[in-house]
Amino acid sequence: MKSELLPPQSEPFTEEEIAGLDEGEESEYSDPLWESARKRKKDALSLNEYCRRRGIDI
């Protein structure tokens, strides 16, 4: 089974939108994402390990 990569229709945020955020706003939205990533870090696989398990040659 082959996968097809689909390009995004548009970027979620432009550089201007990101630059226009106050530091507090960035933290308000990024803190929950980082916390979630930290909780799942032990479950994360490297790309090489993922490919090995799936039998994908890279």
Side-chain angles (χ1 to χ4, degrees), residues 19-58:
L21 289 174
D22 292 334
E23 188 172 325
E25 287 181 87
E26 290 179 27
S27 296
E28 179 182 337
Y29 297 111
S30 65
D31 288 347
L33 294 173
W34 279 111
E35 185 60 33
S36 177
R38 283 186 204 102
K39 287 179 182 175
R40 292 176 174 79
K41 186 175 181 177
K42 67 180 188 319
D43 299 329
L45 295 175
S46 69
L47 177 60
N48 290 336
E49 177 64 17
Y50 177 83
C51 290
R52 185 187 68 73
R53 289 184 183 185
R54 298 285 182 162
I56 301 170
D57 293 326
I58 55 171

Side-chain angles (χ1 to χ4, degrees), residues 7-14:
Q9 298 299 320
S10 66
E11 292 295 323
F13 297 103
T14 64

